[in-house]
Amino acid sequence: MEVPDVIKTIPLNWYIYFSTLLFCIGVVGVLIRRNALIVLMCVELMLNAVNLLFTSFSAYRSDPQGQIFVFFIMVVAAAEVSVGLAIIVMLYRNLKSVDVGILNKLKW
């Protein structure tokens, strides 16, 4: 398998820097934000950063295993979003808020 010309025009280092930037933005969002929906989106951003890195390495090494990992990550992300949104909807119905700071009511 040959690397497509579009991918060859951008150096591999740029993919690594960009995915690192996206991952750091996701980590900061998870740590700083209090809204559960924003936290969920930041987790998705981190997963997409990893997907970008897997895809770029897969393309540069001409190895499809990275793209297979991306497929599995996307499946896990879709399941995570469906379960996470269901939990957030139930929390909103019970607490009338999606602030993660008031989730201490889930304790015993």
Side-chain angles (χ1 to χ4, degrees):
M1 181 195 267
E2 186 174 317
V3 178
D5 292 334
V6 174
I7 295 177
K8 285 181 182 177
T9 57
I10 300 172
L12 182 60
N13 291 339
W14 291 16
Y15 288 108
I16 294 171
Y17 295 144
F18 185 60
S19 65
T20 303
L21 176 69
L22 287 178
F23 192 83
C24 289
I25 290 171
V27 168
V28 169
V30 167
L31 294 177
I32 290 178
R33 298 303 299 251
R34 308 293 289 172
N35 190 336
L37 289 174
I38 302 295
V39 170
L40 198 60
M41 287 191 299
C42 288
V43 169
E44 293 296 322
L45 189 62
M46 289 191 294
L47 290 174
N48 283 330
V50 172
N51 284 342
L52 176 66
L53 201 59
F54 273 133
T55 306
S56 60
F57 276 114
S58 172
Y60 270 88
R61 294 191 60 193
S62 301
D63 187 11
Q65 289 181 352
Q67 295 173 7
I68 294 170
F69 278 122
V70 168
F71 176 74
F72 285 120
I73 289 172
M74 290 174 71
V75 168
V76 169
E80 174 228 338
V81 165
S82 62
V83 171
L85 284 178
I87 291 172
I88 289 172
V89 166
M90 291 307 296
L91 286 174
Y92 183 75
R93 285 185 182 173
N94 291 327
L95 303 175
K96 301 297 182 203
S97 177
V98 290
D99 187 8
V100 293
I102 62 170
L103 294 181
N104 59 359
K105 294 182 180 182
L106 294 177
K107 294 180 182 176
W108 295 87

